[in-house]
């Protein structure tokens, strides 16, 4: 349980130490008067100075400041040049220190039954001079140093300003009038207390007549009457009480009370909060005794000698749930931290920790023995204890995950009162608490403490908690650490004492024990009253409590070692047993032993599934082993829930656990059949399951994993909440407590595929059940149904990602404020600085007098001190129970939180109503949250959302009409696309100047939201809203007519959607516009969708894409093929014969040859025959036309009823490269291209879309050909065709993302190869067949003619092709 959290090695002895309450800072002073501030979380020194002598850096800085202010000839020695002398005390002072000191004093006073409840004036606004600053105050013998850690400016107050008396101790006074600001009291050698104002830096008052010698210690506290008191202890052994409530009274004040406390001087004084009673004072003296005093009567309650023969030098009040019977920590000059059990009656002293086991061995090797010189407990996190030793600073951690022994009971319906069960001492008690409506807050209400008159919430009233405690007549066997838990029904309460290996289960109705026995761990099922226990074979026995002091160490160590060995044996043989509690209150064993694993069980976690953690074998370093043995030797430690993971091996002085992957040692089991569920996981520190069994959270050291359980287990994500101690679910909200904060995690699983599948399955099951019922009632005739008119509208179910949002509700720190960097006292006036405070929590008043919060989330509230039990949400507040069994309420009334809580709870309508109290600038943020929670429709009613978000919400909630209105508003295109079919040239010329601006603005808007327009059209099509889709299409078509407005893929999508809606006139207008602005590819695509071959060809021809036009004409048998081929070849010839570059210098020529080496080899291209590149199967244009052979007869007549091109959506476009089996078989060139084994894609080669593979294949086949007419140079042709390919490759080889509409040649013919064994077939062979079948010997060349025929069905001219030969074709070059 006790482990080292941080360690810093130092050279000298650390004699003074103090911790900051909210920041991870420690200030220390060593024996050489060297002061340093250390950040123990980040392991770095923030500031260092030599306080005893003269710090040269501060002296130089002070002189530079004087020069900067113009004081070049200042008189006298600066205060920084005065030697400080020995350091007597070091402290922090800022808003946080002041607030928590006051909180602690009031909370201690409020425990008394006689406490008054009319005092609220103690919580005033922070003093202006400390706002945003962090003072380090060092009390030296000759001066006091006030150093601002923010600005690094200091102020030294020499003892000459304090009556020239040496300073020995100091304390800050909480009560002060406005003009004096913060007051600090100094105890001096002459027995007088002098009070200094930190505003005027002058002496404010003196306390005289109390002591005859030096004053060693000062402390302020509050009596249960509400009076602020100052107590001082001096060298004369007196304890003197002074009133600190005098305000502006500057007379010399006399003591209220004087007591003889110790012989030889009072060394330290401490305030101890006692649950249910008035606070106590603890004093330690030079006479080696510790005395306890009652603050009501100021009588001595007890006097003990904690450690014989050694005087205590430090004392701390302590209250930790893991050791509920220990109240005081103290230190002497040895290597232990000593604890005192029940100081007012038993007062047994025992060593809490042997510090040498927490220090790296290499550090101890240089010293003979470790010695403690000072110790302080963290004021807000009691598990942290800091000690100053002769080897350095040790921060030890005492089981930070332990929480108070309390458990909330389910609230009764109709009752506003909440209750919780808790254990105090050996008593089982009931705590009742509720929100009080009384206007005057009680003294004990620490949860609603506000530093100003206004509450921290946005409501005008403060949260006042009314609570009462009742004793239950039920025996509790021991006062050691206990763990309480409540069954799912709330009928039973289980108490486990891990240290004595015992458990009891109480029935809530009459508090009788229904089950008890020997167990170390217990876990409940969340669905039924079942529980699992880790039973122990050891007989239950009380732990041995050692008496006396360090003289019996050897005997204690031997007894503890024997006990640890016995406990280890018991752990290895313990098994997990499951029992069930029946309605009659009897307990029955369901399963003797769960899980057949041999490893010992170290963790047990309840929930919808039973989780068991096993100990894995791991190597332990010798230092950690000694630490383990030390911890196990402590009688109060026993075996906690997961004591194995509560300390770590110490390697290099850092206490962080090694970052290696956590072992998989955690298995989930079913409560029903006790079979394992899923695989092994890393063991969490604790688990939290939702009552509705929808969500679960597993907490690890650095993060929390949140998962969804329905319809199947699904990981949702993890949140970076580290060191969480407990949590409670409230629908889709997880409230988490950590040692320093309270967080709220809003969770939603979203919608995934499995949810949609499950929904469909459930609907099918419901339908089958309804049919079965109908058959059972009415017989088979009930299944006869009459199909009614089906509506076209259907609900779209959209997928939604999981959502996790973390909001911090409370923490220890003040709201961050901007520090005033001007340190002049006259600059900081009280009135001006209060404005920021007011502005932080102000509310604006909206229409109708409704107060509107101006912040998105509330200012963080103050977290109660110490470890907490999260009791749950009731009456709109989050309830917490602290170590002193006091209930605290965290307000959830800020509209930003309230709206989210309501939405997470499922009441989205109320969330929208509450949103009227939230500033409209935060509505977008809230709407995003509601969208993540699945309330898109309700979020549309938020009045302040932006149009862009409104569009998304309308699309999510299928409100397409509203989505269209948002889109038209955002794109400013309401008046566009209404009259004409688009923007023709005549329309543009006839526009006036004003209208032109509007049109340009509208087109720009449509282009900006083109994707949203397309999405809206698709959504409208899917749900049958044709009118909405048509309105959106009009606007998009208008923008498509403007050059460069829409991207290529958007134009293609627009063409498809226009065709889909039958807007053929608008589509043809779009094509003509696209041709006129030179977008050949997009216009050809649109023409293909329209089904107009001539228009497609025109689109390519007019935009210079002749290669595509040739291929299309060849594929479809267009009569314009010959003209297109000639035009294409002329274009290629021109590109080859381009004039030489005008640059004539050698470097340019060389670079040009590097850029295009292909053209350099064609310098004498003019001497060669002209370039001629033809589609496969076409004869040469320049060769003499030979007598044609008779065409081969076709095997099948053409089908007369071929559908139109626009009605065939299943085949690819002609400009794409279709697979060989889907396009016209007679025009395929698969045999030629298959001759090239290196062709990359069969479809590219098959349709000859790119010239390069095709002509390369031709060149290779020509090289293999033996005919006489293959004399043209193959390399040359290849070079030329590569040039052509480089020209046409870019535009051609793009794939279309939308579903293409097929342009099909109606003259397609089918043939059966089996019927014509001796003829050349026109079927397209696949590439595999082409590669495996041997090529037939080449017969003599054949020249074929092409005759156009007319299709009776379509009336168009169609081209019938003869079969293509399966040999390479001579191009006749």
């Amino acid at each position: 349980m006790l482990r080292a959290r941080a360690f810093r090695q130092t050279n000298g002895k650390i004699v003074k130490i103090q911790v900051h309450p909210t920041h991870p800072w420690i200030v220390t002073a060593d024996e050489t008067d060297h002061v340093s501030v250390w950040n123990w979380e980040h392991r770095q020194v923030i500031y260092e100075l030599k306080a005893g002598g003269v710090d040269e850096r501060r002296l130089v800085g002070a002189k530079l400041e004087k020069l900067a202010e113009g004081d070049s000839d200042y008189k006298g020695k600066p205060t920084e040049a005065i030697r400080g002398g020995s350091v007597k005390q070091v402290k922090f002072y800022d808003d946080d220190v002041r607030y928590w000191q006051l909180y602690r004093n009031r909370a201690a006073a409020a425990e008394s039954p006689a406490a008054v409840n009319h005092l609220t004036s103690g919580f005033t606004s922070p003093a202006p001079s400390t706002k945003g600053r962090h003072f380090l105050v060092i009390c030296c013998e000759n001066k006091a140093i006030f150093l601002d850690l923010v600005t690094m400016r200091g102020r030294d107050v020499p003892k000459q300003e304090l009556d020239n008396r040496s300073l020995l101790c100091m304390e800050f006074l909480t009560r002060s009038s406005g003009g004096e600001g913060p007051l600090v009291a100094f105890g001096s050698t002459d027995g007088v207390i002098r009070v200094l104002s930190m505003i005027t830096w002058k002496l404010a008052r003196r306390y005289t007549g109390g002591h005859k010698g030096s004053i060693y210690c000062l402390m302020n506290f509050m009596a249960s009457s509400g009076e602020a008191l100052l107590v001082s202890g001096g060298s004369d052994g007196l304890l003197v009480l002074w009133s600190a409530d005098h305000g502006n009274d500057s007379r010399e004040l006399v003591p209220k009370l004087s007591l003889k406390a110790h012989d030889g001087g009072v060394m330290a004084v401490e305030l101890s909060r006692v649950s249910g009673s008035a606070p106590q004072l603890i004093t330690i003296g030079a006479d080696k005794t510790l005395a306890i005093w009652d603050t009501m009567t100021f009588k001595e309650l007890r006097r003990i000698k904690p450690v014989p023969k050694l005087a205590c030098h430090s004392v701390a009040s302590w209250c930790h749930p893991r050791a509920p019977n220990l109240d005081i920590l103290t230190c002497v000059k040895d290597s232990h931290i000593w604890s005192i059990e029940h100081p007012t009656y038993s007062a047994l002293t025992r060593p809490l920790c042997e510090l040498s086991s927490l220090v790296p061995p290499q550090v101890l090797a240089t010293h003979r023995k470790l010695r403690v010189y000072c110790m302080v407990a963290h004021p807000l996190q009691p598990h942290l204890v800091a000690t100053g030793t002769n080897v350095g600073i040790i921060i030890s951690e005492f089981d930070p995950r332990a929480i108070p022994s309390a458990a909330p009971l389910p609230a009764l319906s109709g009752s506003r009162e909440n209750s919780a069960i808790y254990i105090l001492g050996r008593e089982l008690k009931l705590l009742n608490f509720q929100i009080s409506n009384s206007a005057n807050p009680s003294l004990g209400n620490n949860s609603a403490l506000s530093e100003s008159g206004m509450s921290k919430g946005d409501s005008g009233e403060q949260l006042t908690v009314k609570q009462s405690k009742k004793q239950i007549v039920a025996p509790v066997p021991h006062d050691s650490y206990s763990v309480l838990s409540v069954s799912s029904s709330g009928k039973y309460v289980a108490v486990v004492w891990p240290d004595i290996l015992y458990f009891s289960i109480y029935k809530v109705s009459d508090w009788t024990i229904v089950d008890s026995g020997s167990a170390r761990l217990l876990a409940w099922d969340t669905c039924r009253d079942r529980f699992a226990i880790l039973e122990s074979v050891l007989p239950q026995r009380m732990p041995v409590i050692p008496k006396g002091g360090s003289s019996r160490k050897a005997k204690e160590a031997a007894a503890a070692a024997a006990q640890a060995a016995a406990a280890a044996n018991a752990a290895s043989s313990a098994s997990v047993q499951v029992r069930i509690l029946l309605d009659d209150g009897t307990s029955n064993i369901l399963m003797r032993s769960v899980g057949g694993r041999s490893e010992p069980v170290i963790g047990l976690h309840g929930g919808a599934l039973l989780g068991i953690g096993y100990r894995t074998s791991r190597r332990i370093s010798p230092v950690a082993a000694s630490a383990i043995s030390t911890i196990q030797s402590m009688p109060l430690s026993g075996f906690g829930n997961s004591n194995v993971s509560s300390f770590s091996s110490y390697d290099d002085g850092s206490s962080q656990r090694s970052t290696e992957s956590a072992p998989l040692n955690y298995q989930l089991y079913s409560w029903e059949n006790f079979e394992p569920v899923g695989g092994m996981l890393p063991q969490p520190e604790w688990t939290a399951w939702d009552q509705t069994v929808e969500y679960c959270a597993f907490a690890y050291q650095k993060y929390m994993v949140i998962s969804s359980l329905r319809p199947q287990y699904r990981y949702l994500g993890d949140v970076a909440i580290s060191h969480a101690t407990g949590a409670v679910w409230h629908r889709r909200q997880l409230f988490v407590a950590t040692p320093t904060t309270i967080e709220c995690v809003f969770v939603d699983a979203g919608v995934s595929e499995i949810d949609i599948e499950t929904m469909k399955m459930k609907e099918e099951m419901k339908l089958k059940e309804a049919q079965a019922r109908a058959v059972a009632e009415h017989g088979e005739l009930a299944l006869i149904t009459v199909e009614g008119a089906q509506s076209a509208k259907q609900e779209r179910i959209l997928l939604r990602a999981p959502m996790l949002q973390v909001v911090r509700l409370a923490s220890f720190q003040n709201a961050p404020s901007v520090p005033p960097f001007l340190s002049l006292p006259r600059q900081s006036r009280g009135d001006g600085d209060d404005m920021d405070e007011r502005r932080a929590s102000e509310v604006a008043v909206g229409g109708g007098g409704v107060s509107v919060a101006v912040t998105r989330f509330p200012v963080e509230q103050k977290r109660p001190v110490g470890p907490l039990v999260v009791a749950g949400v009731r009456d709109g507040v989050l309830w917490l129970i602290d170590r002193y069994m006091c209930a605290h309420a965290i307000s959830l009334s800020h509209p930003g939180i309230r709206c989210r809580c309501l939405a997470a709870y499922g009441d989205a309508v109320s969330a929208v109503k509450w949103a009227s109290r939230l500033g409209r600038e935060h509505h977008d943020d809230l709407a995003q949250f509601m969208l993540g929670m699945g309330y898109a429709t309700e979020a549309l009613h938020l009045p302040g959302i932006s149009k862009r978000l409104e569009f998304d919400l309308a699309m999510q909630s299928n409100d397409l009409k509203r989505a269209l209105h948002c889109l038209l508003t955002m794109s400013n295109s309401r008046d566009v696309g209404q009259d004409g079919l688009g923007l023709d040239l005549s329309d543009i010329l006839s526009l006036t100047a004003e209208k032109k601006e509007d049109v340009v603005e509208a087109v720009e808007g449509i282009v900006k939201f083109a994707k949203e327009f397309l999405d809206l059209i698709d959504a409208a099509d899917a749900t049958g809203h044709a009118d909405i889709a048509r309105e959106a299409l009009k606007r998009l078509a208008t923008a498509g007519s403007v050059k460069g407005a829409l991207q290529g893929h958007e134009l293609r999508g627009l063409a498809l959607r226009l065709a889909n809606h039958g807007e053929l006139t608008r589509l043809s207008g779009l094509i003509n516009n696209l041709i006129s602005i030179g977008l050949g590819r997009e216009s050809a695509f649109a023409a293909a969708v329209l089904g107009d071959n001539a228009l497609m060809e025109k689109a390519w021809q007019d935009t210079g894409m002749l290669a595509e036009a040739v291929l299309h004409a060849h594929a479809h048998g267009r009569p314009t093929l010959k003209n297109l081929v000639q035009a294409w070849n002329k274009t290629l010839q021109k590109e080859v014969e381009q004039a030489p570059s005008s640059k004539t210098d050698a470097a340019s020529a060389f670079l040009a040859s590097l850029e295009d080496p292909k053209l350099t080899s064609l310098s004498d291209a003019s001497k060669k025959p002209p370039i001629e590149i033809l589609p496969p199967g076409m004869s040469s244009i320049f060769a003499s036309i030979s007598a044609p052979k008779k065409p081969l007869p076709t095997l099948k007549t053409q089908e007369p009823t071929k559908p139109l091109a626009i009605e065939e959506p299943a085949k690819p476009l002609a400009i794409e490269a279709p697979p060989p089996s889907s396009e016209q078989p007679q025009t395929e060139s698969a045999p030629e291209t298959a001759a090239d084994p290196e062709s990359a894609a069969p479809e590219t080669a098959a349709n000859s879309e790119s010239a390069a593979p095709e002509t390369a294949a031709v060149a290779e086949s020509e090289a293999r050909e033996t005919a006489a007419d293959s004399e043209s140079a193959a390399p040359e042709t290849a070079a030329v065709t590569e040039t052509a390919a480089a020209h046409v490759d870019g535009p051609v080889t793009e794939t279309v993302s939308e579903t293409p509409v097929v342009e099909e040649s109606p003259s397609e013919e089918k043939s059966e190869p089996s019927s014509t064994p001796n003829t050349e077939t026109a079927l397209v062979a696949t590439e595999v067949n082409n590669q495996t079948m041997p090529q037939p010997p080449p017969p003599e060349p054949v020249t074929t003619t092409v005759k156009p025929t007319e299709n009776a069905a379509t009336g168009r001219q169609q081209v019938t092709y003869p079969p293509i030969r399966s040999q390479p074709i001579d191009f006749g070059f």
Side-chain angles (χ1 to χ4, degrees), residues 770-786:
Q771 286 180 355
R773 280 199 307 271
V775 169
E777 288 178 18
H778 308 292
E780 295 292 336
L781 290 175
L783 296 179
I784 300 174
T785 57
V786 179

Side-chain angles (χ1 to χ4, degrees), residues 108-251:
E111 285 283 351
S112 170
V116 294
N117 62 356
H118 63 270
L119 281 167
T120 53
S121 57
F123 290 92
T124 54
S125 171
S129 68
T130 61
K131 191 165 181 64
R133 301 186 182 195
H134 298 289
F135 280 111
L136 169 64
V137 188
I138 306 166
C139 175
C140 302
E141 210 170 356
N142 299 327
K143 65 178 177 181
I145 302 171
F146 295 82
L147 184 73
D148 184 5
L149 293 175
V150 177
T151 61
M152 288 305 169
R153 291 186 177 183
R155 175 96 186 206
D156 290 19
V157 179
K159 67 177 183 180
Q160 283 76 15
E161 295 185 19
L162 295 168
D163 299 340
N164 205 9
R165 297 289 181 177
S166 296
L167 313 177
L168 298 178
C169 58
M170 64 177 170
E171 174 67 325
F172 297 99
L173 302 183
T174 50
R175 289 287 177 87
S176 60
S177 60
E180 295 172 329
L183 298 176
V184 55
F186 291 99
S188 309
T189 50
D190 60 349
V192 176
I193 301 170
R194 294 172 176 84
V195 180
L196 178 78
S197 165
M198 288 175 66
I199 290 286
T200 61
W201 300 106
K202 301 289 184 194
L203 191 62
R205 68 179 88 122
R206 297 180 184 84
Y207 292 94
T208 58
H211 294 276
K212 292 182 178 142
S214 302
I215 297 175
Y216 288 158
C217 54
L218 286 169
M219 189 196 68
N220 67 32
F221 71 100
M222 190 175 290
S224 53
S225 62
E227 185 184 10
L229 298 172
L230 179 70
V231 61
S232 61
S235 58
D236 51 6
L238 292 178
L239 196 65
V240 181
L241 256 79
W242 316 80
S243 173
D245 253 349
H246 285 275
N248 286 324
D249 193 352
S250 57
R251 293 173 302 164

